[in-house]
């Protein structure tokens, strides 16, 4: 049954009407019009729907909106500051990492959380971190380069 829930997304509070077990992804896309998080598999396999819940990357197709209500959600739309792309976004652009782009949201959001935790990652750590994010275009090598570049940009900019 739909109930009123307060969730914080990209620094703003929103009152939404939803059953507590509604996947967060549906609320973000359908109620709040945030289309950065993508619907891919709907079963926690592809990573296209990834958002940040606090400092953790989570798959929004599986997180119930009631769980998200206890923390702060950040979506792809919330990464940029005053129109400036986040360094991880810039690195993906500069490396031309994506082909169709469908996996991009998940790759970028997972990378943001990963680099907070591991600012100087090895290639093996990057591969492991992105293991839950699928790219059907096979752009993995360029994505690996983008994550390396993102680590450099973040270190340079102290972001
Ligand atoms: S749509 Fe959530 S993991 Fe695929
Ligand atoms: S660039 Fe197409 S799915 Fe990754």
């Amino acid at each position: 049954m739909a109930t009123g829930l307060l969730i914080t997304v990209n620094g703003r509070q929103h009152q939404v009407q939803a059953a507590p077990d509604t996947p967060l992804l549906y609320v973000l896309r359908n109620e709040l019009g945030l289309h950065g998080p993508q619907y891919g598999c709907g079963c926690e396999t592809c990573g296209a729907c990834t958002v940040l819940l606090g400092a953790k990357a989570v798959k929004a197709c599986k997180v119930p909106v009631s769980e998200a209500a206890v923390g702060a959600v950040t979506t792809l739309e919330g990464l940029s500051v005053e129109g400036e792309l986040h360094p991880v976004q810039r690195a993906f652009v500069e490396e031309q990492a994506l082909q169709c782009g469908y996996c991009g949201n998940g790759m970028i959001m997972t990378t943001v959380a990963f680099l907070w935790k591991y600012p100087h990652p090895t290639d093996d750590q990057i591969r492991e971190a992105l293991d839950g994010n699928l790219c059907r275009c096979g752009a993995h090598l360029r994505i690996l380069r983008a994550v390396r570049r993102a680590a450099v940009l973040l270190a340079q900019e102290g972001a």
Side-chain angles (χ1 to χ4, degrees), residues 97-104 107 134-139 142-143:
L98 302 173
Q99 189 169 316
C100 79
Y102 206 84
C103 68
M107 295 290 183
L134 305 182
C135 173
R136 62 189 171 184
C137 298
R142 295 202 305 266
I143 291 168

Side-chain angles (χ1 to χ4, degrees), residues 25 38-50 59-62:
L25 179 64
Q38 302 293 324
Y39 183 95
C41 62
C43 61
E44 225 174 338
T45 302
C46 73
C49 62
T50 304
K59 292 179 177 170
C61 67
K62 276 294 159 189

Side-chain angles (χ1 to χ4, degrees), residues 92 95-99 138-147:
F92 272 68
E95 287 292 342
Q96 299 184 19
L98 302 173
Q99 189 169 316
H140 300 89
L141 286 178
R142 295 202 305 266
I143 291 168
L144 177 68
R145 285 203 296 270
V147 179

Side-chain angles (χ1 to χ4, degrees), residues 14-145:
H14 300 269
Q15 178 83 36
V16 295
Q17 290 292 322
D21 60 352
T22 305
L24 173 62
L25 179 64
Y26 297 178
V27 172
L28 294 173
R29 288 184 60 88
N30 301 338
E31 305 298 323
L32 303 185
L34 294 168
H35 296 152
Q38 302 293 324
Y39 183 95
C41 62
C43 61
E44 225 174 338
T45 302
C46 73
C49 62
T50 304
V51 300
L52 303 179
L53 188 52
K56 205 168 161 220
V58 297
K59 292 179 177 170
C61 67
K62 276 294 159 189
V63 174
V65 65
S66 55
E67 205 175 296
V70 300
V73 177
T74 305
T75 70
L76 188 70
E77 292 87 345
L79 288 186
S80 59
V81 178
E82 294 175 4
E84 283 281 313
L85 290 181
H86 185 280
V88 174
Q89 292 174 298
R90 283 207 333 267
F92 272 68
V93 172
E94 288 167 8
E95 287 292 342
Q96 299 184 19
L98 302 173
Q99 189 169 316
C100 79
Y102 206 84
C103 68
N105 169 75
M107 295 290 183
I108 289 169
M109 299 310 284
T110 302
T111 298
V112 170
F114 168 63
L115 292 178
W116 278 336
K117 211 166 166 194
Y118 299 98
H120 307 291
T122 64
D123 284 357
D124 282 348
Q125 286 175 317
I126 297 171
R127 286 194 186 94
E128 193 179 329
L130 294 178
D131 195 40
N133 293 80
L134 305 182
C135 173
R136 62 189 171 184
C137 298
H140 300 89
L141 286 178
R142 295 202 305 266
I143 291 168
L144 177 68
R145 285 203 296 270

